[in-house]
Amino acid sequence: MKSVIAVIDIGKTNKKVFLFDEHFDIVFQNSTKFDEILDEDNFPCDDIESIENWIKNEIKSIQDKEVYNLKAINFSTHGASLVYLDKQGNRIAPLYNYLKPLKIEDFKSFHEANGGVEEFSRRTASPAYGMLNAGLQMLWMKKDKPEIWEKVDAILHYPQYLSYLFTKKVTSDFTSVGAHTATWDFDNMEYHPWLKNENINLPEPTNGKNAITAIVNGEKVAVGSGLHDSSSSIIPLLEENKTQDFILLSTGTWIIAMNPFSTETLTQHQLSNNCLCFMTPAKQQVKSSMQFLGRIHEVYVDPLSEYYNVNKNKHLNLGLNEDLCQELIVENAQIFLADGIDTEFEANEKLFKYYGSYETAYYQLIFEICKKVINGINLITDKNTNIKSIYISGGFNKNRIFIKYLSLLKKNCQIKISNCENESALGAAMLMKDYL
């Protein structure tokens, strides 16, 4: 039987399982989607119970077929999602949606007690994002859900909870803690003192290479502690490029530019322009620009197709019109996106009147998205540093218009398509290589 590593890769939309062999080639994969359910406030959230059952069934099915020798399991998930356990180790709350509204002004006294919102955000490398700051989720739970909070015995980030399903060990890792949680003090590279002041005890993060041996369906398997997906996606490129600096554009619902070579401290200017820091599994900061631009693309695709009466997948088949790219760059119009940080995520169909064709309107949308991406890249590039390569991973690496705009707007960089697919899953698998 071929020895394999299984990786459970959980995105907001698609839930996937991969099997990697000793060469880190994918020998099996499966994907599914789940309808959202409602939390107790009638806000949509992931159906965590169904996801749990699917994961367990997938792993058991792999073992039962006896085609592969399952040596290790690891996990990659989106961030900003917490699971609360009681003293018996049972999950006691929904997997709250990170898009659930949370008013920053409700935490005014908290921020003031910790140096003010700007300094607190800088020190924790976490822009004031509301529910996207997992630490504020904890405070929200403590204040607004006391009947649940009084039962809480342990708090896990999403990847570590999936690991917990198999190990029953409460763990943490640097990639999850470092992902805009507002719990990590990047000045001192340790948990921020506010947690102790609030009597919140979180497990100490450990290097993601360390797995726990567990009995899974009667077999010994090394179970990793899991990773935040964006941080995981940079691992393959770091393995491949040990000498040359690069930027990784991880594209999907979020477009995240990541610079693991930045040594400069996060500044207030960067922070106020959607920059933050992630961490590698080995506790190294990754200066990043995080923008919700993929979401903007998503909300415009269907209305554009309806307005111009074309197939909703028309954008996938558009030819590359370099002359139109150049024309729109020269015009440099701002139609669809606002200055600064975008907060409106509904399509404004009134704007379509400026364009006589679907092609021109779509090209304009991508141009504006690319301008913001370039601005994000420039913000996270250290002074006197010469970045030569930009790798694109995720859904936009198949968008020729997006790639062409990047090459035209960033002429001093070579735009590269990451030659590995499913980078988040691959990164999680590579951390388990010692257990194959």
Side-chain angles (χ1 to χ4, degrees), residues 191-235:
Y191 277 127
H192 193 286
W194 78 260
L195 291 164
K196 186 176 182 180
N197 296 337
E198 293 284 343
N199 294 315
I200 296 175
N201 296 311
L202 299 179
E204 282 299 318
T206 57
N207 192 307
K209 290 184 177 180
N210 301 327
I212 295 170
T213 300
I215 303 301
V216 180
N217 300 314
E219 299 177 9
K220 276 189 179 181
V221 180
V223 181
S225 60
L227 302 98
H228 175 248
D229 54 7
S230 296
S231 302
S232 184
S233 69
I234 207 167
I235 293 171

Side-chain angles (χ1 to χ4, degrees), residues 191-353:
Y191 277 127
H192 193 286
W194 78 260
L195 291 164
K196 186 176 182 180
N197 296 337
E198 293 284 343
N199 294 315
I200 296 175
N201 296 311
L202 299 179
E204 282 299 318
T206 57
N207 192 307
K209 290 184 177 180
N210 301 327
I212 295 170
T213 300
I215 303 301
V216 180
N217 300 314
E219 299 177 9
K220 276 189 179 181
V221 180
V223 181
S225 60
L227 302 98
H228 175 248
D229 54 7
S230 296
S231 302
S232 184
S233 69
I234 207 167
I235 293 171
L237 284 175
L238 285 171
E239 287 288 319
E240 183 183 320
N241 298 270
K242 295 185 182 295
T243 57
Q244 186 180 26
D245 291 5
F246 64 86
I247 298 285
L248 172 62
L249 275 186
S250 175
T251 66
T253 302
W254 294 88
I255 295 184
I256 305 173
M258 292 185 282
N259 180 4
F261 305 99
S262 171
T263 57
E264 295 177 358
T265 303
L266 188 71
T267 67
Q268 188 57 53
H269 175 68
Q270 290 169 329
L271 185 75
S272 62
N273 284 277
N274 255 358
C275 296
L276 66 161
C277 290
F278 292 114
M279 278 197 290
T280 68
K283 204 179 177 181
Q284 173 187 346
Q285 85 161 13
V286 180
K287 186 79 68 66
S288 303
S289 164
M290 181 173 168
Q291 301 183 78
F292 212 27
L293 297 172
R295 175 62 176 164
I296 291 174
H297 181 269
E298 288 170 12
V299 300
Y300 267 100
V301 165
D302 284 353
L304 274 169
S305 64
E306 291 171 10
Y307 183 86
Y308 292 99
N309 195 27
V310 298
N311 186 283
K312 68 177 182 178
N313 292 320
K314 174 80 171 175
H315 67 288
L316 300 175
N317 304 309
L318 275 179
L320 180 59
N321 187 335
E322 294 191 31
D323 289 340
L324 181 56
C325 286
Q326 295 280 12
E327 180 184 325
L328 293 176
I329 288 174
V330 170
E331 289 180 4
N332 197 27
Q334 183 174 314
I335 305 297
F336 296 111
L337 276 65
D339 285 329
I341 298 172
D342 292 281
T343 55
E344 292 297 325
F345 302 111
E346 297 297 329
N348 185 350
E349 297 178 26
K350 294 178 182 178
L351 301 174
F352 300 159
K353 65 183 180 183

Side-chain angles (χ1 to χ4, degrees), residues 233 248-252 391-397 416 418 420 423:
S233 69
L248 172 62
L249 275 186
S250 175
T251 66
Y391 287 88
I392 308 174
S393 70
F396 280 82
N397 72 3
K416 299 181 178 181
S418 178
C420 59
E423 289 89 348

Side-chain angles (χ1 to χ4, degrees), residues 23-239:
H23 305 296
F24 295 104
D25 293 326
I26 295 171
V27 296
F28 170 85
Q29 63 179 295
N30 193 18
S31 177
T32 190
K33 296 180 181 180
F34 294 92
D35 291 333
E36 290 185 315
I37 59 174
L38 299 177
D39 64 21
E40 67 271 20
D41 302 315
N42 290 319
F43 196 85
C45 67
D46 276 350
D47 185 352
I48 184 62
E49 186 170 344
S50 294
I51 293 170
E52 287 176 24
N53 291 333
W54 174 77
I55 291 170
K56 292 175 181 177
N57 289 336
E58 286 292 314
I59 294 299
K60 189 171 190 308
S61 174
I62 290 163
Q63 292 174 300
D64 287 347
K65 287 176 182 174
E66 297 185 349
V67 175
Y68 302 105
N69 181 16
L70 182 62
K71 303 290 285 185
I73 309 171
N74 210 355
F75 312 87
S76 166
T77 84
H78 59 79
S81 301
L82 297 173
V83 176
Y84 302 89
L85 304 179
D86 63 16
K87 288 184 178 179
Q88 287 71 46
N90 300 312
R91 177 174 46 78
I92 54 173
L95 190 73
Y96 294 110
N97 191 331
Y98 62 60
L99 296 178
K100 189 182 177 84
L102 193 66
K103 295 179 181 178
I104 296 300
E105 52 267 29
D106 290 347
F107 298 90
K108 184 177 180 180
S109 60
F110 168 77
H111 283 128
E112 287 177 349
N114 289 283
V117 64
E118 290 187 355
E119 171 58 17
F120 177 75
S121 297
R122 186 207 62 77
R123 185 172 168 183
T124 60
S126 304
Y129 280 152
M131 285 291 276
L132 276 166
N133 303 133
L136 296 194
Q137 286 189 40
M138 300 174 200
L139 292 174
W140 164 77
M141 169 79 81
K142 185 177 181 182
K143 175 178 176 290
D144 286 16
K145 311 278 184 182
E147 71 285 357
I148 299 176
W149 183 257
E150 66 182 12
K151 300 176 184 176
V152 172
D153 185 64
I155 303 172
L156 293 170
H157 291 278
Y158 199 180
Q160 283 74 60
Y161 174 65
L162 299 185
S163 176
Y164 173 86
L165 293 176
F166 295 93
T167 67
K168 299 305 176 186
K169 302 290 186 184
V170 173
T171 59
S172 182
D173 93 297
F174 291 112
T175 69
S176 297
V177 169
H180 49 79
T181 64
T183 63
W184 191 256
D185 179 350
F186 276 83
D187 287 353
N188 298 300
M189 294 305 277
E190 61 187 20
Y191 277 127
H192 193 286
W194 78 260
L195 291 164
K196 186 176 182 180
N197 296 337
E198 293 284 343
N199 294 315
I200 296 175
N201 296 311
L202 299 179
E204 282 299 318
T206 57
N207 192 307
K209 290 184 177 180
N210 301 327
I212 295 170
T213 300
I215 303 301
V216 180
N217 300 314
E219 299 177 9
K220 276 189 179 181
V221 180
V223 181
S225 60
L227 302 98
H228 175 248
D229 54 7
S230 296
S231 302
S232 184
S233 69
I234 207 167
I235 293 171
L237 284 175
L238 285 171
E239 287 288 319

Side-chain angles (χ1 to χ4, degrees), residues 345-402:
F345 302 111
E346 297 297 329
N348 185 350
E349 297 178 26
K350 294 178 182 178
L351 301 174
F352 300 159
K353 65 183 180 183
Y354 293 109
Y355 298 99
S357 71
Y358 174 91
E359 179 186 40
T360 310
Y362 184 77
Y363 267 67
Q364 176 65 29
L365 175 66
I366 298 300
F367 167 60
E368 293 185 46
I369 288 173
C370 282
K371 277 208 306 181
K372 291 212 166 188
V373 170
I374 294 295
N375 185 51
I377 290 171
N378 292 339
L379 278 167
I380 61 170
T381 302
D382 288 359
K383 294 175 184 174
N384 304 318
T385 297
N386 192 12
I387 299 288
K388 290 289 188 182
S389 301
I390 298 173
Y391 287 88
I392 308 174
S393 70
F396 280 82
N397 72 3
K398 299 178 182 67
N399 190 314
R400 291 190 296 163
I401 303 163
F402 180 81

